[in-house]
Amino acid sequence: MSKVEVNHLTKSFGSLKVLDDISFQVNDGDFLCIVGPTGCGKTTFLNSLVKLYDIDDGEILINGEEVDLNKHSIAYIMQEYSTMSWLTVKENIQFGMKVRKFSKEKLNRKTEEVLKMVGLEKFADYYPEQLSASMLQRVSIARAFAVEPDLLLMDEPYGQLDLELRFRLEDELIRIWQETKTTIVFITHNIEEAVYMSQRIMVLTNKPTKVKEDFVNPLPLPRNVTEEKFIEMRNKVTNLIKWW
Amino acid sequence: MISCKHVSKTFENNGQKNEVLKDISLEVAENEFVVILGPGQCGKTTLVNIMAGLDHETAGSVTVNGKQVDGPAPERGVVYQKTALFPWLTVEGNVGFGPKMAGLPKKERKEKAKHYIDLVGLSGFEKSYPIKLSGGMRQRVGIARAYCNNPSVLLMDEPFGHLDAQTRYLMQEEVERIWSQDKRTVVFITNNIEEALYLADRIILLSNCPTTVRNEFKIDLPRPRDYISPEFLKLREEISKHVETTE
Amino acid sequence: MKEKKLKYTLISTASVFCFLLIWYLIADVFKVFPSSTFPSPFKVATAFVRKLTVTTPDGGTLGKHLIASLKVVLLGYLLGIVIGVPLGILMGWYRRVDLIVKPLFDLIRPIPPVGWIPLMILWLGIGIQAKATVIFVSAVTPAIINAYTGIKQTNPVHIWVARTFGASNFETLLKVGIPSALPMIFAGLKVSLGASWMALVAAEMLASTEGLGYMIQMNRMVGKADNIMVGMITIGLVGALLTYILETLEKKLVKGGRNK
Amino acid sequence: MKKKFQNSKTETVVYFICSLVGLLIVWQLAVSFTSLQKVMPSPFVVLGFIGQSLTQKIGGKILPLHILASLKRVFVGYFLACIIGIPLGILMGCSKTGKAIVKPIFELLRPIPGLAWIPLAILWFGIGETSKYFIICVSAIVSIILNAYAGASQVDQTLVGAARMLGAKPAQIFLYITLPASVPQIFAGLQVGLSSSWMAVIAAEMIRANEGAGWIITTGMESGNTVQILAGMISIGLVGLLLASLLRLIERGLCSWNIQGR
């Protein structure tokens, strides 16, 4: 439930300029999908957004204030499995809430809620090594939504999953997003996924990364992959990238 | 070329019977590119190991070129998901490993290896070690190594499972190109519908555990196929309806 | 599969039995060596029982020496890991500590713990302090190395996740760094134990008035090989027992199936 | 804080030199101002002594010859441990029956620390060189066997499967797959074995010897000559470091396929 403003974000590793004067806004409750060729610095972009990397120039504001990990509640879901193998599913989910010092009562209530949300009630006491890939990703999603984030960053979370599983998790994410109205920034290389889920689509160029195109996705929800208009939108985005 | 008749396999660990394959019968004709599509992990690799001769079926029979399969033989080449390259051998060493085991003289081995390294587009990388190659390049070495033993049948067990999406698309095109230049009978295993549709003459759909053959789809789209053509997407939609999800 | 396992356990017991048989044959039947220098298993067993109560020739029963050794080794070992593990963790996590402490540590590390014995004896005499310090030095090094490596191997993704939730650097160390380094830390504890046990034997052989090392050294002076073997077996058994205790502790603390 | 030195390699070297100099200064100050001076010589006296003893004899031999005597003993004992240990470890790793026969006896003897064998070795082989070779071999062999066993038994089975598919026969699998695959693990064992050998020779020489690095520090102790003890310890440390980096160089040469790097 927050507005994100990025003005003239630039970053370079040594002499190599990675992010080149990127400016955009994400309104409250928006679902922004960022698409770009592999190796166009998407992960660097996300990490710079939350000051995990220090940036050379530009500013990032959440609800008007400079982004600060302690003040703002931000959740980050990555492609690599970020569940902690020494914690059970329940402890993993509570990790974020404990860091943000939720009250005991709220902690338990939220844990039940998100476990039900991703359908993992039965697996609360399992260890990550006993779970399949899609269940692990669900744990990360539950952990992220548990802290009621102002901003949810997702870096190709479904990159490794089978096709039918990916469809299912995409629908699930849209449902949760509609329920919680969280602002989501979702990065992917898969254009179909971006067109299927986004309210707005932003296309990045190759390094040094610039914003090539930023437009609203008019298709009504729920969308169908084989619809005429869907394929047309998908081709439009593909031509913008043309890495393939 | 390859025919499995009522093949089934049950694993037994400390008293507990676990039936993985149940009554699988399939035929693969000469130089046909057959894709075995199945959800998740159940049974596909076991079927490949049985066809390769590394594992034995508990019931039914598997014959290649009419001969019963009872152990690994150079006539059947395998490409693995984790590439299974020998880390201590260079690209040339890996590709030439089969002929070396067969006792071919060094000069002849080098030529053979060179031919297949060029076929998969890795000329210039003969002397590098696998640890320095990218995922896609390692898969190419795996394919070259299998080809270099000139097998009549090529078994590919989810070779692109670990690659990132863009390399995966490129590798699918690579396999298409290599196969059209040097036709072999191919049995390609995957859980990705798009990959199956892009490569297969025929798709055999397997069910969830215990694995049986659900149905077959004859794919006669012209090659090379286009991922976002309307017919491709329609076929994909149709097939994905039959695929059971794993949980 | 079941009968295969049985076959191998049979072979193992048979091979241990042959080992003891050959030992017995060489010692008592063929008398290849004089029995004082190469006693048979039975002689060693009787010597073991006798040593439990008799104090000759080294001035103490097996129990007394064992307790003396245990006191020294545990003092030095516990001190070593209580200082070594946290230092290794801090060196692994905070760059400034790493840059300052690591070079010093690398300077002292190559000197084998045994090399410290003469200096310690000269400074602290042959009492418990000298031996405990030598054991401390030999225990602290592996503890530091393994804790340091364990922390350095923390998965950066976990650190990112913790930081984005707003965890401070120190909190991330507690909640992510240490848990993921735990298996390596326990490996370090086991190596330190082995090193301490080794340093104890050396220190007691060189200058001591009691302890298992002293016992086997004195028995060497009077040429009683059976007592030497008794001492060696006890050292081996107690060492194995302590390692076993560490392993059970590890199974309880390291969760998530990571200590297989 | 902005990184002063871009390349972390130079950074660690600079910090190494700073802390070395720092250590010398602190040592010098402690010696000249505090009561430590009764017991501890200044660093420069010790370094001077080392320089001096490169030409002047200590007990019949100059320092380098003492070190050489110790190195000779280490290499004989260590070499023995390698020839016996590596094949034994690989045998245990490869053949189930071999493992069933050898492993129980190995597990019985393993907990006994190498140095605990010194009294028995002296009783059996006298105080000459043989007992020192025996002690060094026993101290080094445990980790060599363990790592060779781990290397041979943990060969990735998909690689064995791939080799069989390419027509390799069991003997060829042993030669072309099992051995190369276990080389890195064997080197890990050699590294640990070498440092245990270096410690064992010092201990053996301290118990009973008339030359060698261990002898130097013990005679120093007996005559209360801390300068000699410290000089001995520093040279032992340096030689130990040298041996370890030498072995690492050899490993880098043999296992270049295992090193990440660009």
Side-chain angles (χ1 to χ4, degrees):
Chain A
M1 295 57 90
S2 61
K3 189 159 152 339
V4 181
E5 269 170 81
V6 176
N7 309 333
H8 312 299
L9 172 63
T10 36
K11 162 128 185 79
S12 46
F13 284 122
S15 58
L16 175 69
K17 187 185 273 285
V18 176
L19 304 177
D20 184 3
D21 185 19
I22 293 179
S23 304
F24 66 95
Q25 267 138 20
V26 189
N27 312 358
D28 190 0
D30 222 351
F31 196 127
L32 168 69
C33 271
I34 298 180
V35 191
T38 312
C40 74
K42 297 199 289 283
T43 312
T44 325
F45 172 77
L46 261 192
N47 289 357
S48 315
L49 217 57
V50 284
K51 291 280 172 56
L52 284 177
Y53 289 165
D54 32 29
I55 56 175
D56 303 354
D57 188 3
E59 55 171 9
I60 299 159
L61 311 174
I62 294 188
N63 297 341
E65 292 155 294
E66 184 68 36
V67 69
D68 170 2
L69 288 177
N70 301 331
K71 251 196 283 135
H72 300 113
S73 162
I74 297 174
Y76 193 156
I77 302 174
M78 290 153 217
Q79 182 167 7
E80 306 89 7
Y81 301 124
S82 54
T83 45
M84 294 167 188
S85 46
W86 58 87
L87 299 175
T88 63
V89 167
K90 196 154 158 231
E91 287 159 350
N92 260 294
I93 288 176
Q94 292 174 344
F95 182 89
M97 295 191 270
K98 282 195 183 127
V99 171
R100 298 211 76 81
K101 304 201 175 32
F102 273 36
S103 70
K104 195 110 190 58
E105 178 275 333
K106 188 174 181 193
L107 185 88
N108 295 334
R109 182 167 52 77
K110 270 313 238 179
T111 312
E112 291 320 316
E113 199 188 298
V114 286
L115 270 173
K116 217 181 271 77
M117 187 165 75
V118 287
L120 286 176
E121 305 89 324
K122 296 200 296 307
F123 299 95
D125 301 321
Y126 279 57
Y127 278 102
E129 55 146 11
Q130 300 161 295
L131 301 180
S132 73
S134 64
M135 289 154 102
L136 283 180
Q137 212 50 327
R138 283 207 181 89
V139 172
S140 312
I141 290 169
R143 177 176 60 192
F145 277 102
V147 292
E148 293 158 348
D150 300 332
L151 172 65
L152 175 57
L153 305 177
M154 301 176 84
D155 182 359
E156 297 204 42
Y158 308 140
Q160 307 276 13
L161 301 180
D162 298 354
L163 211 59
E164 331 77 48
L165 269 178
R166 170 187 268 162
F167 285 156
R168 192 110 73 58
L169 287 184
E170 281 163 4
D171 295 336
E172 217 173 84
L173 182 63
I174 294 173
R175 177 177 52 78
I176 298 171
W177 169 68
Q178 283 167 326
E179 275 165 24
T180 58
K181 273 280 161 264
T182 317
T183 314
I184 294 183
V185 174
F186 188 100
I187 284 200
T188 177
H189 73 280
N190 182 323
I191 298 156
E192 182 185 69
E193 190 173 49
V195 174
Y196 187 75
M197 300 212 290
S198 60
Q199 289 296 314
R200 260 181 54 226
I201 295 182
M202 190 163 88
V203 181
L204 298 181
T205 64
N206 240 318
K207 279 202 184 75
T209 314
K210 285 194 190 52
V211 178
K212 185 162 191 182
E213 189 81 25
D214 181 347
F215 54 94
V216 174
N217 179 355
L219 300 171
L221 281 170
R223 294 162 180 155
N224 181 330
V225 178
T226 52
E227 248 173 29
E228 201 26 48
K229 282 221 258 19
F230 186 95
I231 295 174
E232 192 193 291
M233 168 65 83
R234 178 175 172 170
N235 293 343
K236 177 185 173 201
V237 176
T238 318
N239 303 338
L240 280 170
I241 297 185
K242 280 204 207 59
W243 50 267
W244 165 29
Chain B
M1 182 50 116
I2 308 175
S3 75
C4 305
K5 293 190 183 63
H6 310 298
V7 169
S8 47
K9 172 82 182 173
T10 36
F11 283 105
E12 218 225 280
N13 32 37
N14 45 49
Q16 220 204 5
K17 271 212 174 359
N18 168 5
E19 193 182 31
V20 175
L21 301 176
K22 191 149 126 278
D23 182 22
I24 291 188
S25 304
L26 52 92
E27 303 292 327
V28 180
E30 180 83 25
N31 287 349
E32 191 188 17
F33 200 117
V34 165
V35 171
I36 297 185
L37 180 63
Q41 300 306 332
C42 185
K44 297 203 295 290
T45 312
T46 326
L47 183 59
V48 167
N49 285 340
I50 291 172
M51 283 194 212
L54 289 169
D55 204 344
H56 294 288
E57 65 281 14
T58 37
S61 76
V62 177
T63 56
V64 170
N65 300 341
K67 288 203 303 310
Q68 171 73 13
V69 166
D70 58 6
E75 62 158 7
R76 283 168 259 116
V78 179
V79 180
Y80 293 86
Q81 178 163 23
K82 294 200 186 67
T83 71
L85 295 183
F86 306 124
W88 52 84
L89 292 178
T90 61
V91 167
E92 205 176 31
N94 266 287
V95 176
F97 187 81
K100 181 175 182 187
M101 290 303 120
L104 241 68
K106 197 162 179 19
K107 206 174 72 52
E108 219 178 299
R109 267 202 329 257
K110 245 183 176 358
E111 269 152 37
K112 227 166 177 294
K114 182 108 191 57
H115 170 68
Y116 285 105
I117 289 176
D118 297 342
L119 175 69
V120 293
L122 280 180
S123 33
F125 288 93
E126 288 82 357
K127 288 288 177 270
S128 32
Y129 283 104
I131 202 163
K132 297 216 170 26
L133 301 177
S134 72
M137 290 158 87
R138 272 194 225 132
Q139 276 304 346
R140 291 167 198 250
V141 178
I143 295 169
R145 179 176 68 177
Y147 259 99
C148 194
N149 223 11
N150 57 49
S152 51
V153 172
L154 210 54
L155 303 165
M156 301 176 81
D157 178 8
E158 280 184 74
F160 312 142
H162 283 298
L163 300 179
D164 68 274
Q166 192 186 347
T167 332
R168 193 166 192 161
Y169 285 128
L170 296 179
M171 282 308 291
Q172 286 160 8
E173 284 161 18
E174 268 299 289
V175 167
E176 169 77 36
R177 178 181 63 78
I178 296 168
W179 183 68
S180 50
Q181 279 171 14
D182 191 333
K183 278 249 191 314
R184 298 291 162 94
T185 316
V186 176
V187 176
F188 189 99
I189 317 278
T190 182
N191 55 23
N192 183 316
I193 303 177
E194 275 179 343
E195 198 165 84
L197 259 173
Y198 185 79
L199 291 169
D201 293 337
R202 200 158 48 94
I203 295 183
I204 298 174
L205 192 58
L206 295 184
S207 70
N208 220 326
C209 274
T211 316
T212 54
V213 177
R214 278 175 65 88
N215 36 30
E216 274 183 37
F217 301 89
K218 192 92 186 68
I219 315 291
D220 33 40
L221 295 170
R223 285 178 187 268
R225 293 153 183 171
D226 173 7
Y227 289 98
I228 48 175
S229 66
E231 314 79 31
F232 191 95
L233 285 170
K234 273 208 185 40
L235 261 173
R236 189 186 80 173
E237 193 60 29
E238 194 210 326
I239 294 178
S240 69
K241 284 202 182 53
H242 292 86
V243 174
E244 292 161 32
T245 51
T246 61
E247 209 53 275
Chain C
M1 256 316 267
K2 184 97 6 351
E3 54 311 324
K4 262 237 186 72
K5 234 200 219 84
L6 193 66
K7 184 180 124 198
Y8 290 126
T9 28
L10 268 177
I11 296 175
S12 305
T13 30
S15 79
V16 170
F17 181 74
C18 297
F19 172 72
L20 292 173
L21 189 66
I22 296 161
W23 178 4
Y24 169 70
L25 291 177
I26 296 173
D28 271 5
V29 175
F30 303 111
K31 291 206 177 358
V32 174
F33 304 102
S35 87
S36 66
T37 51
F38 194 82
S40 75
F42 303 107
K43 279 219 173 45
V44 175
T46 40
F48 194 93
V49 170
R50 201 174 59 76
K51 200 64 194 112
L52 288 175
T53 49
V54 170
T55 62
T56 57
D58 41 52
T61 63
L62 185 61
K64 175 169 166 294
H65 288 304
L66 178 57
I67 291 160
S69 292
L70 275 179
K71 246 195 314 172
V72 174
V73 83
L74 287 182
L75 177 67
Y77 175 67
L78 292 178
L79 221 61
I81 49 175
V82 159
I83 292 170
V85 171
L87 188 57
I89 289 173
L90 292 176
M91 269 163 64
W93 193 259
Y94 294 100
R95 192 146 172 59
R96 234 170 258 102
V97 175
D98 187 3
L99 287 178
I100 296 161
V101 177
K102 188 120 188 8
L104 273 176
F105 174 66
D106 288 341
L107 274 175
I108 299 158
R109 186 157 68 119
I111 301 171
V114 175
W116 290 91
I117 295 177
L119 196 63
M120 291 304 154
I121 290 171
L122 201 62
W123 283 355
L124 306 165
I126 58 168
I128 195 163
Q129 301 91 343
K131 282 176 280 183
T133 329
V134 169
I135 291 166
F136 165 75
V137 167
S138 59
V140 80
T141 319
I144 291 179
I145 297 171
N146 279 279
Y148 178 81
T149 335
I151 288 286
K152 283 277 181 203
Q153 281 166 354
T154 317
N155 181 348
V157 168
H158 292 154
I159 296 173
W160 279 354
V161 167
R163 296 307 296 276
T164 44
F165 277 129
S168 68
N169 194 14
F170 182 67
E171 206 176 348
T172 314
L173 170 62
L174 285 186
K175 289 205 182 275
V176 171
I178 293 179
S180 64
L182 221 50
M184 273 301 268
I185 290 175
F186 264 95
L189 297 189
K190 270 186 250 172
V191 174
S192 293
L193 183 67
S196 314
W197 206 240
M198 176 88 88
L200 167 84
V201 170
E204 281 180 344
M205 276 197 284
L206 268 167
S208 172
T209 53
E210 54 182 4
L212 294 171
Y214 170 74
M215 173 180 138
I216 54 179
Q217 181 69 344
M218 286 313 291
N219 279 286
R220 197 260 301 161
M221 304 277 191
V222 297
K224 284 185 66 55
D226 51 4
N227 278 346
I228 295 179
M229 289 192 179
V230 162
M232 286 166 70
I233 292 169
T234 326
I235 293 171
L237 275 179
V238 174
L241 187 69
L242 291 174
T243 317
Y244 176 72
I245 294 169
L246 263 184
E247 268 153 14
T248 32
L249 203 65
E250 181 180 5
K251 281 205 178 53
K252 283 201 185 49
L253 283 174
V254 178
K255 293 204 279 301
R258 288 183 298 148
N259 51 18
K260 263 201 274 319
Chain D
M1 58 119 182
K2 212 82 194 79
K3 288 257 174 326
K4 283 189 288 310
F5 314 97
Q6 277 319 331
N7 164 338
S8 77
K9 196 95 188 65
T10 45
E11 196 172 29
T12 23
V13 167
V14 165
Y15 266 89
F16 186 83
I17 295 162
C18 293
S19 66
L20 186 66
V21 166
L23 183 73
L24 291 179
I25 293 168
V26 165
W27 184 351
Q28 180 60 39
L29 291 178
V31 164
S32 39
F33 296 106
T34 64
S35 64
L36 201 62
Q37 64 200 167
K38 288 200 234 41
V39 183
M40 182 81 150
S42 96
F44 304 104
V45 167
V46 174
L47 295 178
F49 180 83
I50 293 181
Q52 207 188 14
S53 63
L54 294 181
T55 50
Q56 245 191 356
K57 287 197 171 70
I58 316 169
K61 272 204 168 76
I62 56 168
L63 181 62
L65 285 182
H66 279 293
I67 305 263
L68 224 59
S70 302
L71 282 178
K72 187 172 72 61
R73 290 175 185 140
V74 163
F75 280 113
V76 171
Y78 184 62
F79 187 67
L80 263 172
C82 292
I83 317 173
I84 304 165
I86 295 177
L88 214 57
I90 290 177
L91 169 75
M92 265 164 55
C94 288
S95 96
K96 287 244 179 343
T97 28
K99 176 180 167 194
I101 296 166
V102 174
K103 197 148 197 315
I105 300 168
F106 172 70
E107 289 300 336
L108 276 178
L109 300 175
R110 179 160 80 123
I112 301 170
L115 299 188
W117 288 90
I118 293 180
L120 213 56
I122 292 175
L123 211 62
W124 285 349
F125 308 107
I127 53 162
E129 295 302 294
T130 358
S131 68
K132 292 185 181 48
Y133 299 148
F134 176 80
I135 295 157
I136 294 165
C137 177
V138 162
S139 304
I141 205 162
V142 168
S143 65
I144 292 176
I145 291 181
L146 264 183
N147 281 281
Y149 166 63
S153 58
Q154 281 147 12
V155 179
D156 178 357
Q157 283 313 313
T158 13
L159 294 188
V160 175
R164 282 180 63 206
M165 279 318 298
L166 293 162
K169 310 220 179 12
Q172 288 170 318
I173 291 206
F174 176 74
L175 212 57
Y176 294 115
I177 304 293
T178 316
L179 284 185
S182 33
V183 162
Q185 192 70 38
I186 289 175
F187 261 101
L190 293 183
Q191 193 71 275
V192 174
L194 187 59
S195 70
S196 329
S197 312
W198 185 240
M199 181 200 288
V201 76
I202 307 291
E205 284 164 355
M206 277 158 55
I207 303 281
R208 179 61 62 86
N210 39 38
E211 53 169 15
W215 175 83
I216 289 179
I217 50 178
T218 330
T219 34
M221 176 181 83
E222 272 142 19
S223 58
N225 175 352
T226 37
V227 175
Q228 182 171 326
I229 295 181
L230 285 170
M233 284 170 71
I234 289 172
S235 20
I236 290 169
L238 281 178
V239 171
L241 204 59
L242 224 64
L243 287 175
S245 7
L246 199 67
L247 190 61
R248 223 169 280 120
L249 269 177
I250 299 169
E251 178 180 4
R252 201 174 293 279
L254 274 175
C255 296
S256 58
W257 51 271
N258 196 14
I259 294 150
Q260 207 70 7
R262 279 286 158 284

